[in-house]
């Protein structure tokens, strides 16, 4: 199922002869995966295991040559890991049995079951999985781009692959003054990360005798420090103990790098603006879905997110389209652990749909966030759509624990590269069930006595 359409034209001038060839491809596949990030890779791997006998049944469209394990970016900013350890070539992580088209979707045409790429190619599909993630809107914040370009500016961000490796040097440069950390007024991928870097920086200044001269301020657009009460209580306690000032509903709207000033608006009172001088400004940029998705209102909600059923992950208008990861409207916290759970549900529902059966799998909103509160300390938050803690381990994860820090630093990267991108990690649900079974004495007895 592969066809090529060619057209060519040539331009002749007196001095030179130009020959230009336009080559447009038209390809068909059973399942098209848009995006080669965490969600796209995991899905492509699962699907190409299933359809391994049929070449090119699964096509992945992804323009990037490089694949990052972004959960390490906080630790890179804190000087604990280096950028190299978070990066592999896209080729090495995408499944060999899937066909990779190194291009970008520029236009979705869901009524025709096809997409167009930036090369002008058309890819037709029977089923499509949209896993495009979120883009960082660096240009939406006045002053941010010029500040990040200037090596002397003391403005930094763990969010960009090109900005993260400069963060630790800027933390080290601070001797005194205001260190400001922000959380924007948009959805955010890994919403715990903007405060994890606060804790890592705080601990660094404490250990280096500078803490008393640095005023630390975390200004967040959110009305809470964390969405789940249990973990929010623990984090407020950390901030109080370590004299970290937290301002809720405070949104960064402008940076004036020449004057080292940052302007914040009060989201509950738009007339109220506050200007701070800074010796460090850590910015979490505004984020949203990629333009190609955003501009297709048949696929998205008013904010540009792919409109899927929050349980089945099937699109609400096109039943041959599914979505997972950061680009969808599912109201879970946008984390990698959420994608692990979603990938299992989506895969099984899609297989049932292809077999003409009823879809019976349901995503419960599971997400998890290892809240690193310093080198060697981590609160491992786990919760669902109801914001109810759903902890895996048989001890209280609301405490700062060294074991959870080791999971974050060493075990999760191992799981990611060796299991998740290969389609073999569906999150910790099975372990949670096992531990809860063992935790209950009655259950243990009942197993023994069977
Ligand atoms: C997880 O499954 C996962 O995927 C590899 C992560 O990667 C970044 C995580 O951070 C977390 C917390 C989970 C959940 C797993 C357990 C064992 C709680």
């Amino acid at each position: 199922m592969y066809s090529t359409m060619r057209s060519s034209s040539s331009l002749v001038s007196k001095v030179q002869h130009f020959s230009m060839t336009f080559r447009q491809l038209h390809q068909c596949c059973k399942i098209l995966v848009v995006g080669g990030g965490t969600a796209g890779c995991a899905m492509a791997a699962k699907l190409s295991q299933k359809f391994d006998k049929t070449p090119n049944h699964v096509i992945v469209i992804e323009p990037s040559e490089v694949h990052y394990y972004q959960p390490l970016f906080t630790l890179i900013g804190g000087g604990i890991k280096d950028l190299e350890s978070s990066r592999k070539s896209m080729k090495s992580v995408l499944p060999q049995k899937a066909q990779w088209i190194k291009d970008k979707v520029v236009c979705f045409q869901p009524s025709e079951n096809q997409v167009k790429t930036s090369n002008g190619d058309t890819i037709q599909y029977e089923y499509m999985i949209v896993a495009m993630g979120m883009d960082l809107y660096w240009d939406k914040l006045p002053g941010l781009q010029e500040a990040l370009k200037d090596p002397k500016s003391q403005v930094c961000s763990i969010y960009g692959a090109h900005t993260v490796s400069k963060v630790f040097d800027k933390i080290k440069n601070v001797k005194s003054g205001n260190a400001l950390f922000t959380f924007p007024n948009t959805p955010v991928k890994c919403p715990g990360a903007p405060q994890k870097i606060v804790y890592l920086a705080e601990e660094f200044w404490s250990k280096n005798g500078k803490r008393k001269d640095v005023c630390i301020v975390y200004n967040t657009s959110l009305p809470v420090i964390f969405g789940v009460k249990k973990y929010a209580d623990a984090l407020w306690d950390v901030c109080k103990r370590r004299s970290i000032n937290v301002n809720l509903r405070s949104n960064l709207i402008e940076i004036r790098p020449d004057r080292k000033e940052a302007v914040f608006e009060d989201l509950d009172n738009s007339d109220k603006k506050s200007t701070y001088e800074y010796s460090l400004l850590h910015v979490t940029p505004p984020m949203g879905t990629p333009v190609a998705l955003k501009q297709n209102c048949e696929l998205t909600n008013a904010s540009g997110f792919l409109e899927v059923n929050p349980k089945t992950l099937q699109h609400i208008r096109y039943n041959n389209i599914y979505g997972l990861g950061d680009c969808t409207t599912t109201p879970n916290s946008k984390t990698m652990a959420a994608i692990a759970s979603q990938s299992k549900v989506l895969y099984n529902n899609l297989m049932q749909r292809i077999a003409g059966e009823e879809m019976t799998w349901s995503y419960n909103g599971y997400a998890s966030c290892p809240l690193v509160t310093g080198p060697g300390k981590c609160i491992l938050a786990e919760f669902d759509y109801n914001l109810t803690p759903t902890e895996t381990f048989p001890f209280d994860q609301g405490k700062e624990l060294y074991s959870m820090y080791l999971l974050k630093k060493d075990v999760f990267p191992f799981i990611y590269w060796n299991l998740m991108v290969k389609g073999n990690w569906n999150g910790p649900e099975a372990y949670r069930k096992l531990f809860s079974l063992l935790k209950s004495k009655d259950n243990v007895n009942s197993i023994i006595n069977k």
Side-chain angles (χ1 to χ4, degrees), residues 106 108 132 135 137 140 186 287-306 327:
V106 290
F108 289 91
M132 298 175 89
D135 280 355
Y137 295 164
K140 291 267 163 74
T186 65
M287 300 175 203
T289 51
V291 179
L293 180 59
K294 226 179 155 149
Q295 74 195 7
N296 191 310
C297 55
E298 294 164 289
L299 290 181
T300 57
N301 71 353
S303 313
F305 286 79
L306 185 86
C327 70

Side-chain angles (χ1 to χ4, degrees), residues 69 71 336-337 340 366 368-370 380-382 392-393 397 407-408 412 415-416 420 425 427-428:
Y69 174 72
M336 188 168 276
Y366 174 82
S368 160
C369 182
L380 181 55
E382 292 182 275
T392 298
F393 298 102
Q397 293 176 207
L407 269 187
K408 160 81 184 169
F412 291 144
I415 290 177
Y416 185 70
M420 191 158 170
W425 176 248

Side-chain angles (χ1 to χ4, degrees), residues 38 69-72 196 335-341 366-371 380-382 390-393 397 404 407-408 411-417 419-420 425-429 431-432 435:
T38 297
Y69 174 72
Q70 295 178 48
L72 274 190
K196 295 177 205 175
T335 68
M336 188 168 276
I339 295 171
S341 291
Y366 174 82
S368 160
C369 182
L371 291 151
L380 181 55
E382 292 182 275
T390 48
E391 297 185 350
T392 298
F393 298 102
Q397 293 176 207
M404 298 298 102
L407 269 187
K408 160 81 184 169
V411 180
F412 291 144
F414 180 87
I415 290 177
Y416 185 70
W417 296 122
L419 296 174
M420 191 158 170
W425 176 248
N426 299 320
E429 196 185 352
Y431 298 92
R432 183 169 62 247
F435 283 131

